[in-house]
Amino acid sequence: MRAVRYHQYGGVETLVVEQVPDPHPGPGEIRIRVAAAGVNPVDWKVRSGAAREVLPVGLPAIPGRDAVGVVDAIGAGVQGVSTGDRVFGLGGVTGATAELAVLSAWAHAPATWSDEEAAGAALASVTAMGGLKALGPLRGRTLLIEGAAGGVGSAAVEIAVAQGATVIGTASERNHEFLASLGAIPTTYGTGLAERLATLAPGGVDIALDTAASGSLADLVAIVGDPTRVSTIADHANAQRLGVHLANAENDSTLLAEAGELGRQGRYTPRIERTYSLEQTAQAHADAERGHTRGKIVVRI
């Protein structure tokens, strides 16, 4: 099969498209013929070597953790899926940006989602849901999402709105119209946030989710008044110190199925900013590393 690989840690120049051996699913796994794969911050952090202490990988490695495609092989013990089914899901830390990928968690992809949308759904939705579930029931509560325009943030906005929360999302002004289209009340981040929130939410903010790791975690605790009502998916350094929930993305088929069901209902549509070809994966990584994206970046295989 054709795949993108890197043979050493480093910059985007390490990424090459080449022929590699086909992967095979083990027990509890499936293999898909990939239509598109997501590009996530973890991909460039692993590729660069920045995450090697936490997420070491064997080299050469194929970047990518989530993908969508048609099932073409099924491992021992797998039930509820058949060859030919269109699914989206998660594999290991690496392996998705290729013609074939092995998944350990998956769900049937809604017909309402394009391949690009489904490719951007898996990691963003399980990460967002993990952060939201740590905060308890959402219906009737006012939720602040820090970094609401990014891949995880935009997923969290739609999922929280679908679950009955009033959502206030922070982003740069150029993304305010985008946030409003998702159902959030937009505001800018940074200095003066508490004062802006006093106007936007006179009754106060009940809970907060940080997706940005911008150094605002202590401010979020002060805004909601209790560290147990704040969760972060990004600020590992400060979460324990401040006593807030730290949610890590997990390969959870149940969460993927929940996201897929919201998609079928038209209540969650992964937002895609840019799509690249397999040969443009280095550019996709470069753009992801620069940040400031609105939604997700995906690579079409």
Side-chain angles (χ1 to χ4, degrees):
M1 69 170 184
R2 293 172 73 240
V4 174
R5 286 205 298 187
Y6 51 97
H7 291 252
Q8 61 189 48
Y9 292 123
V12 296
E13 71 279 356
T14 62
L15 295 167
V16 294
V17 179
E18 56 191 8
Q19 288 288 334
V20 305
D22 293 353
H24 299 283
E29 298 176 334
I30 63 172
R31 186 178 73 183
I32 61 170
R33 190 160 293 281
V34 179
V39 176
N40 299 285
V42 68
D43 299 335
W44 62 260
K45 291 175 183 177
V46 169
R47 184 214 71 232
S48 70
R52 76 175 78 185
E53 297 297 323
V54 182
L55 297 171
V57 297
L59 297 174
I62 298 168
R65 185 169 169 185
D66 55 355
V68 61
V70 173
V71 178
D72 83 334
I74 298 175
V78 172
Q79 297 180 331
V81 69
S82 304
T83 55
D85 288 357
R86 178 174 175 259
V87 302
F88 72 108
L90 297 159
V93 175
T94 58
T97 316
E99 290 179 328
L100 298 169
V102 170
L103 304 181
S104 58
W106 61 87
H108 287 90
T112 50
W113 289 352
S114 68
D115 284 338
E116 290 85 354
E117 290 166 344
L123 191 57
S125 64
V126 300
T127 305
M129 286 179 167
L132 292 171
K133 285 181 181 293
L135 299 172
L138 300 181
R139 185 163 302 281
R141 302 172 87 187
T142 298
L143 164 69
L144 172 66
I145 298 179
E146 183 86 308
V152 175
S154 58
V157 169
E158 282 200 278
I159 292 167
V161 168
Q163 294 179 2
T166 297
V167 177
I168 301 172
T170 69
S172 58
E173 285 192 26
R174 70 183 181 88
N175 288 324
H176 283 191
E177 187 176 342
F178 170 65
L179 288 187
S181 75
L182 302 181
I185 301 166
T187 190
T188 50
Y189 46 78
T191 305
L193 178 60
E195 289 75 16
R196 292 190 294 279
L197 291 171
T199 301
L200 295 172
V205 174
D206 301 305
I207 46 180
L209 169 63
D210 165 46
T211 74
S214 59
S216 65
L217 208 53
D219 294 334
L220 300 185
V221 172
I223 286 166
V224 303
D226 182 347
T228 65
R229 291 196 272 130
V230 179
S231 67
T232 180
I233 58 95
D235 195 344
H236 295 247
N238 291 308
Q240 186 173 6
R241 178 177 66 83
L242 293 169
V244 310
H245 300 284
L246 176 62
N248 291 310
E250 297 183 9
N251 286 21
D252 188 328
S253 294
T254 301
L255 293 182
L256 292 172
E258 287 183 31
E261 182 55 33
L262 288 175
R264 273 180 279 278
Q265 295 170 6
R267 300 165 82 189
Y268 166 48
T269 302
R271 306 298 164 150
I272 308 304
E273 177 167 353
R274 300 185 206 121
T275 302
Y276 301 78
S277 68
L278 191 68
E279 290 74 18
Q280 294 172 317
T281 300
Q283 185 62 53
H285 271 232
D287 290 345
E289 199 162 346
R290 273 194 289 273
H292 308 294
T293 55
R294 179 186 298 179
K296 291 298 298 289
I297 287 174
V298 301
V299 172
R300 276 205 67 90
I301 313 299

